[in-house]
């Protein structure tokens, strides 16, 4: 968590299924809109936290299925596991805290007495979580009886019912809200409490997130009945919690604007960047803008204009070089010429481009070193490379950057079979 010094400007803590990820949006448009907004305006000074009921196994599976960003922190298994960074380093202090008044063997022994409970898959059974399926009409009665039994056995547990079918038994100190409170306390003790925190959810196991003091909350428009009912009974008059009119990630973007937490116009919603005036443009914005145009050019979503090609050349250093993931070196201007010939080659096909983990460092006067993962999703599946870009603001137009050097290497397992199709 030493990616930047001081407090995060914004920390977004979001559930995944039906909140950040819209499973009814086959093109993943709202998720891609959020991705572009985050990497262009927030990644450099803010924290992204995914808080999911999924186990690590199912979480990693979702990451392969959807164009998700890499979060700074991952809270999994309904708030029983906290990990940091891309390598998902576990928080040992959180594990020790959850061991208090918890005995998994007793939980499995007592729950075996309830025939209405059906164990979920083995991957969903975690050290501090025992999970079942139970019909809606039998849930309340089972929860009440279980709670009394486990209390008699000396355990202090929390039973959460969500999605109209999932029943999770956790240590009393666990849960998405408790995990968030733990993180905020940890940041506060380090003198790094985020300036603002926005919690985002859609179901019953997200309700806890909205109970943490000084946290903004958004229930996405497609929030389930159980969460809306909780809100009506517990937080109806709380101005810091809203029910968005937009679905999933689009609702999160809406909340950023509603609470005035920072920029809330995704670059994906801007069709003409020349008319978009921004103060203190960050290198991340330049990278997102560049690859958005590249996607739109190949999808024929912009005019086939020679002026666009000349504009692109104008931001590429005349002697600039791109080192292709294959190792081949090409002048940047040659890459732009090759792109000219590919106008509309992805029209009507699946083709999306996004960037993840954009980090930048100023290494000289007007010179920036920017690193990120560049992704392309097409009919051939996802492809990705690690890109390192040298940008210069010395000779660029006002508020802009020149691309001086680009170096790319394939990420393991995501190299392209047809390497000629990978232009930038």
């Amino acid at each position: 968590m030493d990616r930047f010094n001081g407090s995060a400007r914004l920390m977004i803590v979001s559930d995944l299924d039906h909140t950040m990820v819209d499973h009814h949006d086959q093109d993943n448009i709202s998720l891609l809109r959020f991705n572009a907004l985050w990497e262009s305006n927030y990644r450099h000074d803010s924290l992204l936290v995914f808080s999911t009921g999924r186990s690590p196994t199912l979480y990693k599976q979702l990451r392969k299925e959807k164009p998700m960003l890499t979060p700074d922190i991952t809270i999994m298994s309904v708030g029983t596991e906290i990990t940091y960074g891309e390598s998902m380093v576990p928080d040992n202090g959180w594990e020790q805290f959850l061991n208090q008044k918890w005995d998994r063997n007793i939980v499995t022994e007592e729950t075996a007495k309830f025939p209405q409970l059906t164990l979920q898959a083995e991957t969903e059974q975690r050290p501090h979580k025992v999970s079942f399926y139970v019909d809606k009409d039998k849930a309340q009665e089972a929860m009440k009886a279980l709670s009394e039994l486990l209390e008699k056995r000396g355990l202090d547990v929390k039973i959460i019912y969500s999605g109209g079918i999932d029943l999770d038994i956790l240590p009393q100190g666990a849960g998405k809200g408790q995990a968030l409170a733990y993180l905020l306390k940890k940041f506060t003790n380090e003198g790094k409490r985020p300036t603002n925190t926005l919690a985002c959810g859609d179901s019953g196991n997200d309700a806890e997130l909205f109970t943490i003091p000084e946290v903004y909350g958004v229930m996405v428009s497609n929030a389930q009945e159980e969460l809306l009912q909780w809100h009506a009974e517990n937080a109806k008059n709380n101005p810091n919690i809203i029910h968005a009119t937009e679905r999933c990630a689009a609702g999160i973007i809406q909340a950023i604007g509603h609470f005035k937490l920072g920029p809330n116009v995704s670059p994906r919603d801007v069709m003409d960047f020349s008319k978009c005036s921004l103060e203190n443009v960050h290198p991340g914005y330049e990278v997102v803008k560049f690859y958005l145009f590249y996607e739109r050019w190949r999808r024929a979503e912009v005019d086939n204009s020679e002026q666009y090609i000349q504009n692109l050349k104008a931001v590429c250093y005349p002697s600039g070089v791109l080192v292709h993931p294959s190792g081949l070196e090409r002048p940047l201007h040659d890459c732009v010429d090759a792109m000219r010939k590919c106008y509309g080659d992805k029209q009507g096909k699946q083709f999306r481009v996004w960037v993840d983990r954009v980090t930048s460092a100023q290494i000289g006067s007007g010179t920036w070193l920017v690193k990120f993962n560049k992704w392309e999703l097409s009919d051939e599946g996802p492809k990705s490379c690690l890109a390192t870009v040298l940008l210069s603001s010395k000779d660029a137009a006002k508020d802009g950057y020149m691309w001086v050097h680009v170096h790319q290497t394939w990420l393991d397992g995501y190299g392209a079979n047809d390497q000629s199709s990978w232009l930038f």
Side-chain angles (χ1 to χ4, degrees):
M1 298 319 304
D2 300 324
R3 193 162 52 78
F4 49 81
N5 295 322
S7 301
R9 170 168 53 130
L10 173 64
M11 181 165 78
I12 285 186
V13 183
S14 178
D15 173 53
L16 291 179
D17 296 290
H18 310 293
T19 301
M20 182 63 75
V21 176
D22 189 345
H23 292 283
H24 298 288
D25 178 5
Q26 294 302 312
D27 293 327
N28 302 303
I29 297 302
S30 64
L31 183 56
L32 289 167
R33 286 178 61 220
F34 177 85
N35 292 358
L37 175 63
W38 188 260
E39 294 298 334
S40 60
N41 287 289
Y42 291 97
R43 175 69 82 172
H44 65 286
D45 66 358
S46 298
L47 292 171
L48 181 61
V49 182
F50 288 158
S51 182
T52 178
R54 287 180 177 243
S55 65
T57 300
L58 290 187
Y59 166 69
K60 290 172 184 175
Q61 182 179 318
L62 183 65
R63 286 184 59 84
K64 291 180 180 178
E65 296 169 357
K66 295 289 184 177
M68 291 163 54
L69 297 181
T70 303
D72 298 285
I73 304 172
T74 313
I75 301 169
M76 294 167 291
S77 305
V78 200
T80 61
E81 299 178 63
I82 299 175
T83 65
Y84 299 93
E86 185 179 29
S87 53
M88 298 177 70
V89 178
D91 188 316
N92 295 325
W94 181 240
E95 292 178 9
Q96 292 169 14
F97 173 72
L98 294 184
N99 284 332
Q100 300 169 35
K101 288 195 172 182
W102 172 256
D103 187 321
R104 204 177 184 287
N105 293 330
I106 292 178
V107 174
T108 54
E109 184 183 318
E110 293 297 340
T111 50
K113 300 172 183 176
F114 290 75
Q116 63 269 51
L117 299 181
T118 304
L119 267 175
Q120 292 185 18
E122 187 60 35
T123 59
E124 301 314 287
Q125 311 305 328
R126 305 296 297 168
H128 296 97
K129 179 172 82 77
V130 187
S131 296
F132 301 89
Y133 297 122
V134 60
D135 292 338
K136 200 171 184 179
D137 56 348
K138 298 174 182 174
Q140 293 304 319
E141 183 185 349
M143 289 168 69
K144 187 174 184 297
L146 255 176
S147 185
E148 292 171 357
L149 269 176
L150 293 172
E151 188 177 345
K152 286 178 182 174
R153 295 292 304 270
L155 301 192
D156 194 6
V157 303
K158 175 182 292 179
I159 303 176
I160 298 177
Y161 188 62
S162 62
I165 191 166
D166 298 312
L167 188 146
D168 299 305
I169 304 174
L170 328 167
Q172 182 60 244
K176 290 184 175 184
Q178 299 289 71
L180 172 55
Y182 171 85
L183 286 174
L184 287 172
K185 183 179 179 182
K186 191 171 183 175
F187 284 129
T188 301
N189 291 341
E190 295 170 358
K192 294 183 177 182
R193 186 183 178 94
T195 304
N196 287 300
T197 299
L198 173 65
C200 320
D202 79 295
S203 72
N205 66 20
D206 300 314
E208 273 191 8
L209 290 171
F210 304 127
T211 66
I212 308 305
E214 300 176 33
V215 169
Y216 294 104
V218 55
M219 303 178 296
V220 291
S221 70
N222 52 292
Q224 295 185 31
E225 177 190 343
E226 66 216 21
L227 183 59
L228 297 178
Q229 185 177 338
W230 173 88
H231 179 259
E233 294 172 359
N234 300 279
K236 192 174 182 180
N237 298 316
N238 186 345
N240 287 344
I241 303 173
I242 64 165
H243 185 195
T245 58
E246 301 276 352
R247 287 180 58 85
C248 301
I252 298 174
I253 295 173
Q254 182 184 355
I256 293 173
H258 176 87
F259 293 120
K260 297 180 172 56
L261 302 177
N264 73 315
V265 177
S266 171
R268 280 195 173 269
D269 299 329
V270 177
M271 289 311 295
D272 187 351
F273 288 106
S274 65
K275 296 177 182 176
C276 186
S277 174
L278 290 174
E279 293 182 11
N280 303 318
V281 174
H282 191 266
Y285 191 91
E286 174 70 25
V287 168
V288 170
K289 182 177 73 171
F290 186 94
Y291 283 108
L292 257 179
F293 177 79
Y294 169 75
E295 176 194 294
R296 290 168 177 169
W297 180 265
R298 297 189 68 176
R299 288 174 60 91
E301 292 177 349
V302 293
D303 292 336
N304 187 357
S305 163
E306 181 60 26
Q307 186 59 50
Y308 281 138
I309 293 296
Q310 294 308 315
N311 289 347
L312 208 55
K313 283 190 172 181
V315 298
C316 291
Y317 206 65
S319 58
V321 169
L322 180 143
V323 181
H324 190 274
S326 64
L328 181 70
E329 291 190 18
R330 297 181 71 185
L332 283 173
H333 280 205
D334 285 6
C335 296
V336 176
D337 287 333
M339 187 173 144
R340 176 196 275 123
K341 300 170 187 174
C342 292
Y343 179 82
D345 67 333
K346 300 295 185 181
Q347 188 173 15
K349 301 177 182 178
Q350 177 177 232
F351 184 70
R352 295 293 177 188
V353 180
W354 70 97
V355 294
D356 179 28
R357 302 180 68 224
V358 178
T359 59
S360 61
Q362 189 165 2
I363 58 173
S365 176
T367 308
W368 298 78
L369 190 67
V370 188
K371 292 186 177 182
F372 53 92
N373 292 347
K374 180 228 168 179
W375 288 86
E376 286 187 13
L377 180 64
S378 66
D379 294 330
E380 292 78 45
K383 304 300 172 194
S384 183
C385 74
L386 170 64
T388 304
V389 177
L390 192 64
L391 295 178
S392 172
S393 59
K394 289 179 183 175
D395 305 314
K398 187 183 177 188
D399 297 328
Y401 294 90
M402 292 279 285
W403 291 60
V404 179
H405 188 88
V406 181
H407 188 280
Q408 300 178 337
T409 53
W410 293 123
L411 289 183
D412 286 347
Y414 289 101
N417 294 326
D418 176 14
Q419 303 214 11
S420 64
S421 66
W422 187 272
L423 303 181
F424 261 106

